[in-house]
Amino acid sequence: MNGRVVRVELKRSLAPWPGLVVLGGSLAVFCLVDGIWWQGDAGWTAQWTSMALWTRSLLAFWWPLVVGTGAVYGLRDSRSRMTELLTTTPLPPWRRAALPAGATALVLASGFGLLVLVGAVQVALGATTYTSLGWLPVSLVAALSLVAGAVFGMGVARAVPSVLTPPALTVFLLLATLLLRPSNEGSLPSSSAPNRLALLVPATSEPREVLLTLSGSVHLGQTLWLLGLLAAGFALLSAATRRARLLAVAPVLVGAALALVILPATARDTYVVDKTAAASVCDGPVCVTQANRSHLPELAPRGRDALRVLHDALGDQAPTSVREDTRLHALGDDRQPSGDAVLVDFDDPLIARATGAELTRLLVAQGLAPNCAPRTTWEGRGQLDIPVQSIVASWALGDRRFEALQRPDTYAYSPRTWADADAAWKRLTAMSPADQRSRIAEVHTAALSCTGYHELSMLAGETPR
């Protein structure tokens, strides 16, 4: 199979379309739609691993479509009524099968490779300073799954030459993918189906935690399964007898059996924390993970300023460090604050976008009244108790009136709430300095226990409702 023959096949067949659809469709989703893949610290161009996982998550749609398109391609000989004629030629069947299979594999690998290249360029030009090759297996297995799926579809259509074969394969795999694909309901992505069976689907869930990646056993098990699928598809594509078609099923059965032995049985062993990415990088009392070390130059001086302000406000009860929160959280889990450290979450839009004095104010607010709200959105941990945090931060920084951490209309607080906050501020500042410190200490203690710190009445010296 020389280059000229491949060029003719690409020009006169369906082979280029699957690759073009994967490339163009993925770029249209990522670049033209303002979705959750642009949000948080696990966005598709924020880190290398999240980029690979985001591009692979789209296989939930592309993989069934590619298999169906491969089946359409595999019907070419039967539609043209050339099957019997081709079997009489002296060219070995596997040589005839190699041309369409090779052309399809080339285009699909190139299309997905260009998609990954676009994401990689954006990650490299972005703010991240963490570079790792751990994302490569994620993308390589994704490319293998597209090639194996297309060739398998071609082989099935050659063995079952019916116009119903492509739509039947597409619908079946689409339903299987939607049912088996892991979801992000817990701290780790998991599926309602048995974990080993769910991992036979190459699509991953959308990345939510920047420190999570797929384990090595997942890469190995899925590779064996996909290689068996690829071998079975090619064997079906080149089979000339019924006995050869029956034997062609053996590779996929062997691959599936090996994969089910190797693939992890639980979500805890499927998604693991990247220890290199999670390693701490510190500048004095301010620490972040290796994956987010690009935030350290801005965070370190502001963190030290915030710790001084917190010590003046709380004395010995003040936190002594600022560090990134690396615990895994489900979307509905409460956050567990720490009395020893100001916990920073770069998925919190307030922290991620703040600079300068604004960042110092946010760190002071988080240190005095830590947020316990569960993580209910992709971009943050639910609505922070902005009025209370605004008041305590303004008090600690010596402002004449309290300054909202964000515009009052940014969060769903009623004008009455902000009026109550203004009244609480006036009553707090009218107290003696000793009473003011006492109220701030009570709010801090209540915040650490996640009970009642949202009550503005505590700041005003009233009995909490």
Side-chain angles (χ1 to χ4, degrees), residues 119-142:
V121 170
Q122 295 189 63
V123 174
L125 297 178
T128 183
T129 56
Y130 172 68
T131 302
S132 170
L133 296 179
W135 62 274
L136 274 176
V138 178
S139 295
L140 290 176
V141 172

Side-chain angles (χ1 to χ4, degrees), residues 80-377:
S80 59
R81 300 179 181 180
M82 295 178 56
T83 305
E84 185 176 353
L85 174 62
L86 291 175
T87 56
T88 62
T89 62
L91 192 67
W94 69 267
R95 290 282 299 275
R96 293 197 303 271
L99 179 58
T104 303
L106 176 64
V107 174
L108 278 171
S110 300
F112 188 78
L114 287 175
L115 171 63
V116 173
L117 180 62
V118 171
V121 170
Q122 295 189 63
V123 174
L125 297 178
T128 183
T129 56
Y130 172 68
T131 302
S132 170
L133 296 179
W135 62 274
L136 274 176
V138 178
S139 295
L140 290 176
V141 172
L144 175 61
S145 71
L146 291 173
V147 172
V151 175
F152 182 74
M154 295 168 65
V156 171
R158 181 68 63 84
V160 186
S162 168
V163 293
L164 298 179
T165 300
L169 278 175
T170 303
V171 172
F172 173 77
L173 291 177
L174 183 60
L175 291 176
T177 300
L178 294 178
L179 290 174
L180 298 178
R181 182 169 174 244
S183 64
N184 277 310
E185 295 179 357
S187 58
L188 292 171
S190 60
S191 173
S192 57
N195 194 67
R196 288 191 173 99
L197 184 62
L199 288 175
L200 295 181
V201 174
T204 59
S205 63
E206 298 88 349
R208 179 171 51 82
E209 299 282 356
V210 70
L211 300 179
L212 284 182
T213 187
L214 293 172
S215 65
S217 59
V218 174
H219 298 317
L220 178 59
Q222 289 183 335
T223 299
L224 292 175
W225 150 246
L226 293 171
L227 287 176
L229 196 68
L230 176 62
F234 188 78
L236 286 172
L237 191 61
S238 57
T241 63
R242 178 175 298 180
R243 182 171 180 272
R245 295 188 187 97
L246 292 175
L247 292 176
V249 182
V252 71
L253 296 178
V254 172
L258 292 175
L260 292 174
V261 172
I262 296 173
L263 290 172
T266 63
R268 173 63 63 183
D269 298 322
T270 301
Y271 288 85
V272 296
V273 174
D274 186 338
K275 295 181 179 180
T276 304
S280 292
V281 180
C282 299
D283 185 345
V286 181
C287 297
V288 297
T289 62
Q290 186 73 248
N292 285 315
R293 67 179 302 172
S294 59
H295 294 279
L296 191 58
E298 176 69 24
L299 184 65
R302 299 301 171 181
R304 286 190 287 267
D305 292 343
L307 291 175
R308 285 194 293 268
V309 174
L310 291 171
H311 185 268
D312 292 340
L314 298 174
D316 294 337
Q317 295 183 349
T320 57
S321 64
V322 176
R323 61 179 175 84
E324 183 179 351
D325 188 2
T326 58
R327 289 171 294 189
L328 302 180
H329 298 272
L331 291 178
D333 285 351
D334 289 337
R335 185 179 182 182
Q336 299 176 356
S338 170
D340 299 327
V342 179
L343 297 180
V344 174
D345 183 358
F346 292 113
D347 278 333
D348 179 349
L350 292 180
I351 295 293
R353 299 167 185 169
T355 57
E358 180 187 6
L359 179 56
T360 302
R361 180 177 295 273
L362 288 168
L363 294 174
V364 171
Q366 184 67 14
L368 289 173
N371 174 39
C372 294
R375 184 171 186 169
T376 56
T377 68

